[in-house]
Amino acid sequence: MKKGELIEIVDYSNAWPEEFSALGQLLRSTLGATALRIDHIGSTSIPELAAKPIIDVQVSVASLEPVEPFGAPLEALGYIWRRDNPDLTKRYFRENLGERRTHIHVRKLGSWHQQFPLLFRDYVRLHVEDRQKYERIKRALAKKFRADRQAYTDAKKPIFWEIIARANDWASATGWEPGPPDA
């Protein structure tokens, strides 16, 4: 989020999967076999869920080091590597100023941090009550922390962990595994 930009939660848009699909095809053709999976994650990947209108993409790779096999192609597409991102479980890329808001999270295939967003997404897609609760909380927090992205993100942690605990039980009961990649 750009400094001074307000947090905005908007109703779900049927355009989001189409936007991801176009981007996913571009990433697939650009990254080739380096991208072991390319998935639409985050709130825009969950039908009927209101969200910040940002397309989140997870690119799963064999290793986060060296960065060049995926970093150079992403930068050639105009994405900016956020080297100062404090989350060392991923390499994080963002759109150029003025481009469509896009977050690319590059994570190691099979790691917990790579599995987490897929499990959360798949569970919330199927569990309406949790989806509706999550949306209500997101909307309330967006109003409360309208201009403070970090406070908004921090305040969402309890609902994430509440839902992921149920998702974990569901995964154990169903034998959940990630389905095929989205791109």
Side-chain angles (χ1 to χ4, degrees):
M1 171 177 280
K2 298 170 188 85
K3 188 175 177 101
E5 185 178 341
L6 300 179
I7 296 169
E8 179 185 17
I9 304 294
V10 300
D11 290 340
Y12 179 79
S13 171
N14 288 323
W16 293 339
E18 295 169 11
E19 291 174 25
F20 166 79
S21 181
L23 176 56
Q25 289 175 21
L26 175 63
L27 292 172
R28 171 59 56 216
S29 67
T30 301
L31 295 170
T34 299
L36 303 174
R37 290 184 65 100
I38 298 174
D39 294 287
H40 189 187
I41 61 168
S43 293
T44 61
S45 72
I46 302 169
E48 301 179 29
L49 180 64
K52 292 180 294 184
I54 299 168
I55 301 297
D56 282 285
V57 178
Q58 179 170 269
V59 176
S60 302
V61 296
S63 178
L64 295 177
E65 295 297 334
V67 173
E68 290 74 27
F70 57 85
L74 289 173
E75 288 177 331
L77 289 176
Y79 292 98
I80 300 167
W81 178 19
R82 300 296 176 103
R83 288 176 171 83
D84 60 345
N85 182 48
D87 183 349
L88 300 180
T89 67
K90 69 181 177 182
R91 302 299 176 260
Y92 178 58
F93 294 79
R94 289 275 309 268
E95 77 287 343
N96 261 318
L97 187 62
E99 297 292 324
R100 200 247 185 269
R101 291 293 303 272
T102 306
H103 298 172
I104 299 179
H105 312 263
V106 180
R107 294 187 172 106
K108 184 176 179 182
L109 182 69
S111 69
W112 186 84
H113 288 89
Q114 183 260 344
Q115 298 283 306
F116 176 88
L118 299 174
L119 173 59
F120 187 88
R121 177 199 68 188
D122 290 355
Y123 175 83
V124 174
R125 280 178 173 174
L126 295 174
H127 294 84
V128 175
E129 288 179 17
D130 277 324
R131 182 173 63 241
Q132 291 170 341
K133 182 177 183 180
Y134 183 49
E135 180 175 319
R136 283 191 306 274
I137 290 171
K138 284 181 10 161
R139 287 185 186 274
L141 293 174
K143 287 180 185 173
K144 183 176 182 179
F145 301 110
R146 191 116 174 108
D148 189 341
R149 178 181 180 264
Q150 190 59 53
Y152 168 80
T153 300
D154 290 344
K156 285 193 314 179
K157 286 181 183 177
I159 188 63
F160 271 125
W161 289 110
E162 178 185 321
I163 292 173
I164 205 66
R166 284 192 290 278
N168 183 60
D169 292 342
W170 170 75
S172 295
T174 63
W176 173 86
E177 292 182 1
D182 296 326

